[in-house]
Amino acid sequence: MEEEFHELTDRVRAELRSPQDLVAYERLLGLARKNTPAGREELARMLIAVERPLWAREIAAFILGCAGDKRAFETLVLLLNYRDPVRCATAAHALGRLGDPRTARAAAALATNPLRTAYALHPVRLLAELRAPQSVPALIATLERLLTPHNPYWRVALACVEGLGALGDRRAVPALTAAVTHPRLAAAAAASLARLGVHEDVTAPDGAAATDVPDDGDDARAARTAGRVPGPERGAGPGGGQGLSG
């Protein structure tokens, strides 16, 4: 967890706004370094204490989650569903190490919820990592829902395609075959099908190159429109973006 923890704490340090914040931040880092039962108890109390800043609960949940402490589950799932992709990624990393059987069910519920598609990228990736019974059905259902013209969430669809290839379950063949017809997904879908022993022509429709996927930047930039989708804290209308076939 070292690299991910350092990335988290470096990001959080930039969010500190007062000397009191810095004191609390240093206290959290001290608890993480000690890694004692008493320290974990203090971190767990922080998750349910009132008026704690989000960054403090995020650090506490990450430490506990990576240590396999199931008291972090609720906070990590909340963060997995958060509007900030960086926090979603941090939560997914900790949930992948938590070992809680509820994780796959929660990730599947988030991935398959059409109202949460803007935030589904990391739940989808987490499902592929977990290789749980819920993983393949949830990824298939999510992918099939996204195989519509001009759907703005092609990155989520691509993560489904890649995850289904990694999981190697032949139940995914029909959905992956349908994905081959979408220029942004064609190459990845053909590669996933090949891993399942199925070979498809990846020539994209309308003369578009199947491997010609524009670089829209990292997850944070790609999710700028996602902030307009109803979230745990605020919301308006659905976000925009480029479609699967556009």
Side-chain angles (χ1 to χ4, degrees):
M1 113 180 176
E2 282 298 318
E3 181 180 351
E4 291 79 9
F5 184 66
H6 287 311
E7 290 176 358
L8 167 60
T9 54
D10 287 347
R11 169 170 57 80
V12 165
R13 190 178 183 90
E15 299 179 23
L16 304 181
R17 295 291 180 265
S18 69
Q20 292 78 13
D21 283 350
L22 182 59
V23 170
Y25 170 84
E26 295 292 348
R27 173 69 176 167
L28 281 169
L29 267 57
L31 293 173
R33 285 191 290 267
K34 290 179 181 177
N35 191 28
T36 62
R40 288 192 290 275
E41 288 296 325
E42 184 171 342
L43 291 170
R45 288 194 297 271
M46 192 171 298
L47 297 179
I48 58 176
V50 297
E51 297 183 356
R52 290 286 185 177
L54 180 63
W55 58 260
R57 286 182 285 143
E58 182 182 11
I59 292 176
F62 183 87
I63 296 168
L64 292 171
C66 289
D69 191 318
K70 293 179 174 54
R71 289 174 292 183
F73 174 77
E74 286 81 5
T75 301
L76 290 172
V77 169
L78 173 68
L79 292 168
L80 184 67
N81 193 32
Y82 199 72
R83 65 175 179 267
D84 184 348
V86 180
R87 286 197 157 101
C88 294
T90 298
H93 179 85
L95 283 166
R97 284 139 191 84
L98 180 60
D100 192 310
R102 297 173 292 175
T103 298
R105 293 194 295 271
L110 294 176
T112 56
N113 185 344
L115 299 179
R116 309 303 304 157
T117 306
Y119 307 102
L121 180 61
H122 292 288
V124 162
R125 290 175 174 170
L126 179 59
L127 284 167
E129 177 186 346
L130 292 173
R131 309 183 76 87
Q134 297 89 344
S135 295
V136 170
L139 294 186
I140 291 173
T142 303
L143 177 59
E144 289 177 340
R145 175 166 50 82
L146 297 177
L147 292 179
T148 56
H150 311 298
N151 192 297
Y153 304 115
W154 67 270
R155 286 184 180 275
V156 177
L158 181 61
C160 291
V161 167
E162 294 171 342
L164 289 169
L167 291 170
D169 191 311
R170 290 186 64 85
R171 288 177 292 174
V173 168
L176 291 172
T177 301
V180 170
T181 65
H182 292 267
R184 291 181 184 268
L185 308 178
S192 290
L193 284 167
R195 297 179 73 171
L196 297 175
V198 179
H199 297 280
E200 286 285 332
D201 182 2
V202 297
T203 302
D206 301 324
T211 57
D212 183 18
V213 179
D215 179 9
D216 289 342
D218 59 16
D219 289 342
R221 196 189 327 158
R224 282 182 300 194
T225 57
R228 299 199 295 272
V229 177
E233 302 77 24
R234 64 184 184 187
Q242 291 177 298
L244 286 170
S245 58

